[in-house]
Amino acid sequence: MSNTPSQSGWKWRQSSVLPGFGLTLGYTITYLFLIILIPLGGLIWSTAHLGFAEFVAIATDRRTLNALRVSFGTAFIAALVNAFFGVIIAWILVRYRFPGRRFVDAIVDLPFALPTAVAGISLTTLYSNRGWIGSLFEPLGIKIAFTPIGIVIALIFIGLPFVVRTVQPVMEEIDRQVEEVAATLGANRFQTITRILLPGLVPAILTGFALAFARGVGEYGSVIFIAGNIPYVSEIAPLLIVIRLEEFNYAGATGIATIMLIISFAMLFVINLIQAWSRKRYGYA
């Protein structure tokens, strides 16, 4: 009889030369439960006490629906803009060498370090009717600050780094010889970008879009100054939650927060499905 251990049977993990798997796994699960799952579970539990009728009344309230429309609509538009221009900025930083390149690369991360309130005040000063930029659009009858347009601009500002920093490392791994081979085979620049480069960048672009969108939906500090916070016009859902808390309407606040959680989770889930399909479709799984 052989003394070697049987190779049959199922192993839930493969042995590794790196020690501490049990400790790190336990820390990871504990951290996720304490920081993410327990707070979200508490939110859902508080909402469960409302009752179905009261929750539907909160969800269908005209002011709530308009605030959700403003928050998700402006975040979606800003994420689309960042997905387009973020790829262009990443392309310039990766493929070209020019004076001041490192300075431009550092500026991309500025929204990460800048306090959101400072960003909001600065943008409001620039885009108000008397601001440097807003005054140029005032004669045309275009008002930027204190409108949803101003919210989109603020969300573009805080969401751009997510797209650039997600796409940039993936773009750096693409071998330039692939483009040269495509050119020798007769492909023009447009065909090279759309058929050779873009398929490999789609998962990263979608990831950056999802991150920028998620950040925009929950953004508060940089938006409240430039939004104007006008009910039914430029009021965002996070601000409405704060208003309900100030009114001691905890049921309304938790109801709106739960609705935002459900919609955000559903949209991110769909984006993740598209990412998985893209990796499988183009062979980058």
mmCIF file of all heavy atoms in Angstrom, residues 15-53:
data_model
loop_
_atom_site.group_PDB
_atom_site.id
_atom_site.type_symbol
_atom_site.label_atom_id
_atom_site.label_comp_id
_atom_site.label_asym_id
_atom_site.label_seq_id
_atom_site.Cartn_x
_atom_site.Cartn_y
_atom_site.Cartn_z
ATOM 1 N N SER A 15 -2.258 25.199 -0.332
ATOM 2 C CA SER A 15 -1.197 25.564 0.601
ATOM 3 C C SER A 15 -0.292 26.601 -0.032
ATOM 4 O O SER A 15 -0.074 26.623 -1.237
ATOM 5 C CB SER A 15 -0.372 24.318 0.972
ATOM 6 O OG SER A 15 0.162 23.722 -0.196
ATOM 7 N N SER A 16 0.229 27.481 0.804
ATOM 8 C CA SER A 16 1.076 28.561 0.317
ATOM 9 C C SER A 16 2.323 28.648 1.178
ATOM 10 O O SER A 16 2.322 28.261 2.350
ATOM 11 C CB SER A 16 0.313 29.886 0.357
ATOM 12 O OG SER A 16 1.164 30.967 0.047
ATOM 13 N N VAL A 17 3.404 29.143 0.558
ATOM 14 C CA VAL A 17 4.643 29.322 1.313
ATOM 15 C C VAL A 17 4.541 30.520 2.239
ATOM 16 O O VAL A 17 5.365 30.678 3.146
ATOM 17 C CB VAL A 17 5.836 29.503 0.345
ATOM 18 C CG1 VAL A 17 6.069 28.240 -0.466
ATOM 19 C CG2 VAL A 17 5.603 30.700 -0.574
ATOM 20 N N LEU A 18 3.542 31.369 2.024
ATOM 21 C CA LEU A 18 3.381 32.546 2.873
ATOM 22 C C LEU A 18 2.530 32.178 4.077
ATOM 23 O O LEU A 18 1.417 31.667 3.930
ATOM 24 C CB LEU A 18 2.705 33.678 2.095
ATOM 25 C CG LEU A 18 3.487 34.215 0.884
ATOM 26 C CD1 LEU A 18 2.670 35.286 0.177
ATOM 27 C CD2 LEU A 18 4.832 34.780 1.320
ATOM 28 N N PRO A 19 3.011 32.413 5.281
ATOM 29 C CA PRO A 19 2.251 32.060 6.488
ATOM 30 C C PRO A 19 1.187 33.097 6.818
ATOM 31 O O PRO A 19 1.162 34.183 6.237
ATOM 32 C CB PRO A 19 3.331 32.029 7.579
ATOM 33 C CG PRO A 19 4.335 33.044 7.113
ATOM 34 C CD PRO A 19 4.343 32.972 5.611
ATOM 35 N N GLY A 20 0.336 32.757 7.754
ATOM 36 C CA GLY A 20 -0.622 33.727 8.292
ATOM 37 C C GLY A 20 -1.916 33.824 7.543
ATOM 38 O O GLY A 20 -2.633 34.826 7.667
ATOM 39 N N PHE A 21 -2.280 32.791 6.766
ATOM 40 C CA PHE A 21 -3.537 32.867 6.010
ATOM 41 C C PHE A 21 -4.738 32.964 6.955
ATOM 42 O O PHE A 21 -5.625 33.798 6.755
ATOM 43 C CB PHE A 21 -3.676 31.637 5.109
ATOM 44 C CG PHE A 21 -5.024 31.541 4.443
ATOM 45 C CD1 PHE A 21 -5.316 32.310 3.340
ATOM 46 C CD2 PHE A 21 -6.009 30.689 4.936
ATOM 47 C CE1 PHE A 21 -6.553 32.231 2.721
ATOM 48 C CE2 PHE A 21 -7.253 30.602 4.331
ATOM 49 C CZ PHE A 21 -7.523 31.377 3.218
ATOM 50 N N GLY A 22 -4.781 32.126 7.967
ATOM 51 C CA GLY A 22 -5.912 32.148 8.884
ATOM 52 C C GLY A 22 -6.058 33.469 9.599
ATOM 53 O O GLY A 22 -7.167 33.996 9.754
ATOM 54 N N LEU A 23 -4.930 34.038 10.029
ATOM 55 C CA LEU A 23 -4.968 35.315 10.741
ATOM 56 C C LEU A 23 -5.451 36.441 9.843
ATOM 57 O O LEU A 23 -6.321 37.236 10.216
ATOM 58 C CB LEU A 23 -3.588 35.635 11.303
ATOM 59 C CG LEU A 23 -3.452 36.958 12.059
ATOM 60 C CD1 LEU A 23 -4.353 36.974 13.286
ATOM 61 C CD2 LEU A 23 -1.997 37.211 12.456
ATOM 62 N N THR A 24 -4.895 36.515 8.634
ATOM 63 C CA THR A 24 -5.280 37.594 7.726
ATOM 64 C C THR A 24 -6.721 37.441 7.257
ATOM 65 O O THR A 24 -7.434 38.436 7.091
ATOM 66 C CB THR A 24 -4.346 37.626 6.519
ATOM 67 O OG1 THR A 24 -4.309 36.323 5.902
ATOM 68 C CG2 THR A 24 -2.937 38.014 6.928
ATOM 69 N N LEU A 25 -7.175 36.188 7.032
ATOM 70 C CA LEU A 25 -8.559 35.975 6.633
ATOM 71 C C LEU A 25 -9.515 36.383 7.753
ATOM 72 O O LEU A 25 -10.540 37.030 7.503
ATOM 73 C CB LEU A 25 -8.781 34.510 6.258
ATOM 74 C CG LEU A 25 -10.213 34.138 5.861
ATOM 75 C CD1 LEU A 25 -10.637 34.900 4.614
ATOM 76 C CD2 LEU A 25 -10.335 32.636 5.641
ATOM 77 N N GLY A 26 -9.166 36.019 8.970
ATOM 78 C CA GLY A 26 -10.005 36.420 10.103
ATOM 79 C C GLY A 26 -10.055 37.924 10.270
ATOM 80 O O GLY A 26 -11.122 38.499 10.539
ATOM 81 N N TYR A 27 -8.909 38.589 10.100
ATOM 82 C CA TYR A 27 -8.879 40.050 10.195
ATOM 83 C C TYR A 27 -9.734 40.667 9.097
ATOM 84 O O TYR A 27 -10.487 41.630 9.336
ATOM 85 C CB TYR A 27 -7.446 40.552 10.091
ATOM 86 C CG TYR A 27 -7.337 42.047 9.943
ATOM 87 C CD1 TYR A 27 -7.468 42.886 11.048
ATOM 88 C CD2 TYR A 27 -7.127 42.634 8.695
ATOM 89 C CE1 TYR A 27 -7.391 44.261 10.912
ATOM 90 C CE2 TYR A 27 -7.049 43.996 8.551
ATOM 91 C CZ TYR A 27 -7.175 44.811 9.657
ATOM 92 O OH TYR A 27 -7.099 46.165 9.516
ATOM 93 N N THR A 28 -9.631 40.123 7.868
ATOM 94 C CA THR A 28 -10.400 40.667 6.743
ATOM 95 C C THR A 28 -11.897 40.557 6.988
ATOM 96 O O THR A 28 -12.651 41.516 6.799
ATOM 97 C CB THR A 28 -10.030 39.928 5.448
ATOM 98 O OG1 THR A 28 -8.627 40.064 5.204
ATOM 99 C CG2 THR A 28 -10.808 40.483 4.266
ATOM 100 N N ILE A 29 -12.341 39.377 7.415
ATOM 101 C CA ILE A 29 -13.770 39.176 7.664
ATOM 102 C C ILE A 29 -14.257 40.068 8.798
ATOM 103 O O ILE A 29 -15.321 40.695 8.720
ATOM 104 C CB ILE A 29 -14.044 37.695 7.974
ATOM 105 C CG1 ILE A 29 -13.740 36.825 6.740
ATOM 106 C CG2 ILE A 29 -15.499 37.490 8.411
ATOM 107 C CD1 ILE A 29 -13.883 35.344 6.989
ATOM 108 N N THR A 30 -13.456 40.149 9.881
ATOM 109 C CA THR A 30 -13.836 41.000 11.012
ATOM 110 C C THR A 30 -13.921 42.462 10.600
ATOM 111 O O THR A 30 -14.861 43.180 10.969
ATOM 112 C CB THR A 30 -12.823 40.838 12.154
ATOM 113 O OG1 THR A 30 -12.753 39.460 12.544
ATOM 114 C CG2 THR A 30 -13.226 41.678 13.355
ATOM 115 N N TYR A 31 -12.938 42.900 9.817
ATOM 116 C CA TYR A 31 -12.912 44.294 9.373
ATOM 117 C C TYR A 31 -14.130 44.605 8.508
ATOM 118 O O TYR A 31 -14.778 45.643 8.682
ATOM 119 C CB TYR A 31 -11.624 44.553 8.594
ATOM 120 C CG TYR A 31 -11.427 45.990 8.179
ATOM 121 C CD1 TYR A 31 -10.850 46.903 9.049
ATOM 122 C CD2 TYR A 31 -11.826 46.430 6.917
ATOM 123 C CE1 TYR A 31 -10.670 48.221 8.667
ATOM 124 C CE2 TYR A 31 -11.651 47.741 6.529
ATOM 125 C CZ TYR A 31 -11.074 48.626 7.409
ATOM 126 O OH TYR A 31 -10.902 49.930 7.026
ATOM 127 N N LEU A 32 -14.449 43.714 7.576
ATOM 128 C CA LEU A 32 -15.603 43.933 6.706
ATOM 129 C C LEU A 32 -16.902 43.981 7.497
ATOM 130 O O LEU A 32 -17.785 44.797 7.221
ATOM 131 C CB LEU A 32 -15.663 42.834 5.641
ATOM 132 C CG LEU A 32 -14.588 42.858 4.556
ATOM 133 C CD1 LEU A 32 -14.723 41.675 3.634
ATOM 134 C CD2 LEU A 32 -14.663 44.155 3.757
ATOM 135 N N PHE A 33 -17.020 43.116 8.498
ATOM 136 C CA PHE A 33 -18.233 43.101 9.305
ATOM 137 C C PHE A 33 -18.357 44.374 10.126
ATOM 138 O O PHE A 33 -19.432 44.983 10.197
ATOM 139 C CB PHE A 33 -18.245 41.868 10.216
ATOM 140 C CG PHE A 33 -18.960 40.698 9.629
ATOM 141 C CD1 PHE A 33 -18.279 39.736 8.924
ATOM 142 C CD2 PHE A 33 -20.336 40.562 9.774
ATOM 143 C CE1 PHE A 33 -18.939 38.645 8.369
ATOM 144 C CE2 PHE A 33 -21.008 39.487 9.235
ATOM 145 C CZ PHE A 33 -20.309 38.528 8.522
ATOM 146 N N LEU A 34 -17.281 44.797 10.771
ATOM 147 C CA LEU A 34 -17.348 45.950 11.667
ATOM 148 C C LEU A 34 -17.504 47.263 10.909
ATOM 149 O O LEU A 34 -18.247 48.158 11.347
ATOM 150 C CB LEU A 34 -16.088 46.007 12.542
ATOM 151 C CG LEU A 34 -15.921 44.887 13.568
ATOM 152 C CD1 LEU A 34 -14.603 45.037 14.310
ATOM 153 C CD2 LEU A 34 -17.082 44.882 14.559
ATOM 154 N N ILE A 35 -16.825 47.407 9.791
ATOM 155 C CA ILE A 35 -16.783 48.685 9.092
ATOM 156 C C ILE A 35 -17.878 48.817 8.043
ATOM 157 O O ILE A 35 -18.389 49.919 7.806
ATOM 158 C CB ILE A 35 -15.390 48.886 8.436
ATOM 159 C CG1 ILE A 35 -14.288 48.754 9.486
ATOM 160 C CG2 ILE A 35 -15.305 50.237 7.754
ATOM 161 C CD1 ILE A 35 -14.390 49.762 10.615
ATOM 162 N N ILE A 36 -18.262 47.706 7.414
ATOM 163 C CA ILE A 36 -19.193 47.802 6.288
ATOM 164 C C ILE A 36 -20.525 47.118 6.580
ATOM 165 O O ILE A 36 -21.589 47.749 6.539
ATOM 166 C CB ILE A 36 -18.551 47.202 5.015
ATOM 167 C CG1 ILE A 36 -17.277 47.974 4.646
ATOM 168 C CG2 ILE A 36 -19.549 47.233 3.854
ATOM 169 C CD1 ILE A 36 -16.556 47.431 3.440
ATOM 170 N N LEU A 37 -20.478 45.818 6.873
ATOM 171 C CA LEU A 37 -21.719 45.048 6.926
ATOM 172 C C LEU A 37 -22.593 45.419 8.116
ATOM 173 O O LEU A 37 -23.816 45.524 7.984
ATOM 174 C CB LEU A 37 -21.389 43.552 6.957
ATOM 175 C CG LEU A 37 -20.693 43.008 5.708
ATOM 176 C CD1 LEU A 37 -20.431 41.522 5.849
ATOM 177 C CD2 LEU A 37 -21.529 43.289 4.469
ATOM 178 N N ILE A 38 -22.004 45.603 9.294
ATOM 179 C CA ILE A 38 -22.811 45.931 10.471
ATOM 180 C C ILE A 38 -23.487 47.296 10.340
ATOM 181 O O ILE A 38 -24.690 47.422 10.607
ATOM 182 C CB ILE A 38 -21.951 45.846 11.750
ATOM 183 C CG1 ILE A 38 -21.584 44.385 12.032
ATOM 184 C CG2 ILE A 38 -22.691 46.448 12.936
ATOM 185 C CD1 ILE A 38 -20.739 44.192 13.266
ATOM 186 N N PRO A 39 -22.771 48.379 9.906
ATOM 187 C CA PRO A 39 -23.477 49.654 9.712
ATOM 188 C C PRO A 39 -24.591 49.575 8.672
ATOM 189 O O PRO A 39 -25.678 50.118 8.874
ATOM 190 C CB PRO A 39 -22.354 50.600 9.263
ATOM 191 C CG PRO A 39 -21.116 50.015 9.845
ATOM 192 C CD PRO A 39 -21.313 48.536 9.768
ATOM 193 N N LEU A 40 -24.313 48.891 7.542
ATOM 194 C CA LEU A 40 -25.355 48.765 6.523
ATOM 195 C C LEU A 40 -26.514 47.916 7.032
ATOM 196 O O LEU A 40 -27.686 48.210 6.745
ATOM 197 C CB LEU A 40 -24.768 48.149 5.251
ATOM 198 C CG LEU A 40 -23.736 49.003 4.506
ATOM 199 C CD1 LEU A 40 -23.258 48.296 3.250
ATOM 200 C CD2 LEU A 40 -24.310 50.379 4.160
ATOM 201 N N GLY A 41 -26.190 46.856 7.785
ATOM 202 C CA GLY A 41 -27.249 46.044 8.369
ATOM 203 C C GLY A 41 -28.088 46.835 9.353
ATOM 204 O O GLY A 41 -29.316 46.666 9.421
ATOM 205 N N GLY A 42 -27.429 47.700 10.140
ATOM 206 C CA GLY A 42 -28.179 48.553 11.062
ATOM 207 C C GLY A 42 -29.107 49.502 10.335
ATOM 208 O O GLY A 42 -30.227 49.771 10.796
ATOM 209 N N LEU A 43 -28.653 50.021 9.198
ATOM 210 C CA LEU A 43 -29.497 50.910 8.398
ATOM 211 C C LEU A 43 -30.729 50.171 7.886
ATOM 212 O O LEU A 43 -31.859 50.672 7.986
ATOM 213 C CB LEU A 43 -28.691 51.475 7.229
ATOM 214 C CG LEU A 43 -29.473 52.326 6.215
ATOM 215 C CD1 LEU A 43 -30.026 53.574 6.873
ATOM 216 C CD2 LEU A 43 -28.578 52.692 5.031
ATOM 217 N N ILE A 44 -30.515 48.983 7.346
ATOM 218 C CA ILE A 44 -31.638 48.197 6.827
ATOM 219 C C ILE A 44 -32.582 47.790 7.966
ATOM 220 O O ILE A 44 -33.805 47.789 7.815
ATOM 221 C CB ILE A 44 -31.115 46.962 6.077
ATOM 222 C CG1 ILE A 44 -30.297 47.410 4.853
ATOM 223 C CG2 ILE A 44 -32.258 46.060 5.651
ATOM 224 C CD1 ILE A 44 -29.638 46.272 4.110
ATOM 225 N N TRP A 45 -32.018 47.453 9.117
ATOM 226 C CA TRP A 45 -32.848 47.067 10.270
ATOM 227 C C TRP A 45 -33.711 48.224 10.741
ATOM 228 O O TRP A 45 -34.892 48.042 11.070
ATOM 229 C CB TRP A 45 -31.949 46.581 11.402
ATOM 230 C CG TRP A 45 -32.685 46.204 12.650
ATOM 231 C CD1 TRP A 45 -32.843 46.960 13.779
ATOM 232 C CD2 TRP A 45 -33.394 44.977 12.889
ATOM 233 N NE1 TRP A 45 -33.583 46.287 14.715
ATOM 234 C CE2 TRP A 45 -33.945 45.057 14.191
ATOM 235 C CE3 TRP A 45 -33.606 43.826 12.143
ATOM 236 C CZ2 TRP A 45 -34.694 44.036 14.743
ATOM 237 C CZ3 TRP A 45 -34.365 42.796 12.698
ATOM 238 C CH2 TRP A 45 -34.882 42.913 13.983
ATOM 239 N N SER A 46 -33.127 49.435 10.751
ATOM 240 C CA SER A 46 -33.914 50.605 11.153
ATOM 241 C C SER A 46 -35.029 50.882 10.160
ATOM 242 O O SER A 46 -36.138 51.272 10.547
ATOM 243 C CB SER A 46 -32.987 51.830 11.259
ATOM 244 O OG SER A 46 -31.988 51.626 12.243
ATOM 245 N N THR A 47 -34.730 50.667 8.878
ATOM 246 C CA THR A 47 -35.755 50.899 7.862
ATOM 247 C C THR A 47 -36.865 49.866 7.947
ATOM 248 O O THR A 47 -38.034 50.158 7.653
ATOM 249 C CB THR A 47 -35.115 50.856 6.460
ATOM 250 O OG1 THR A 47 -34.003 51.761 6.422
ATOM 251 C CG2 THR A 47 -36.117 51.262 5.392
ATOM 252 N N ALA A 48 -36.524 48.645 8.383
ATOM 253 C CA ALA A 48 -37.532 47.581 8.478
ATOM 254 C C ALA A 48 -38.615 47.917 9.485
ATOM 255 O O ALA A 48 -39.750 47.421 9.377
ATOM 256 C CB ALA A 48 -36.860 46.259 8.842
ATOM 257 N N HIS A 49 -38.289 48.758 10.460
ATOM 258 C CA HIS A 49 -39.285 49.137 11.469
ATOM 259 C C HIS A 49 -40.308 50.135 10.931
ATOM 260 O O HIS A 49 -41.307 50.417 11.610
ATOM 261 C CB HIS A 49 -38.593 49.733 12.697
ATOM 262 C CG HIS A 49 -37.808 48.728 13.488
ATOM 263 N ND1 HIS A 49 -38.399 47.742 14.241
ATOM 264 C CD2 HIS A 49 -36.476 48.548 13.632
ATOM 265 C CE1 HIS A 49 -37.465 47.002 14.830
ATOM 266 N NE2 HIS A 49 -36.284 47.468 14.468
ATOM 267 N N LEU A 50 -40.054 50.695 9.749
ATOM 268 C CA LEU A 50 -40.982 51.686 9.219
ATOM 269 C C LEU A 50 -42.307 51.062 8.803
ATOM 270 O O LEU A 50 -43.360 51.682 8.940
ATOM 271 C CB LEU A 50 -40.353 52.394 8.001
ATOM 272 C CG LEU A 50 -39.117 53.244 8.261
ATOM 273 C CD1 LEU A 50 -38.594 53.817 6.956
ATOM 274 C CD2 LEU A 50 -39.449 54.380 9.221
ATOM 275 N N GLY A 51 -42.214 49.877 8.272
ATOM 276 C CA GLY A 51 -43.409 49.297 7.672
ATOM 277 C C GLY A 51 -43.434 49.590 6.178
ATOM 278 O O GLY A 51 -42.907 50.616 5.716
ATOM 279 N N PHE A 52 -44.048 48.703 5.431
ATOM 280 C CA PHE A 52 -44.016 48.828 3.975
ATOM 281 C C PHE A 52 -44.726 50.091 3.500
ATOM 282 O O PHE A 52 -44.245 50.793 2.609
ATOM 283 C CB PHE A 52 -44.665 47.587 3.344
ATOM 284 C CG PHE A 52 -44.651 47.608 1.849
ATOM 285 C CD1 PHE A 52 -43.485 47.335 1.153
ATOM 286 C CD2 PHE A 52 -45.812 47.904 1.142
ATOM 287 C CE1 PHE A 52 -43.486 47.355 -0.241
ATOM 288 C CE2 PHE A 52 -45.806 47.930 -0.249
ATOM 289 C CZ PHE A 52 -44.644 47.654 -0.936
ATOM 290 N N ALA A 53 -45.857 50.398 4.071
ATOM 291 C CA ALA A 53 -46.633 51.556 3.623
ATOM 292 C C ALA A 53 -45.883 52.860 3.865
ATOM 293 O O ALA A 53 -45.838 53.739 2.992
ATOM 294 C CB ALA A 53 -47.985 51.585 4.332
#
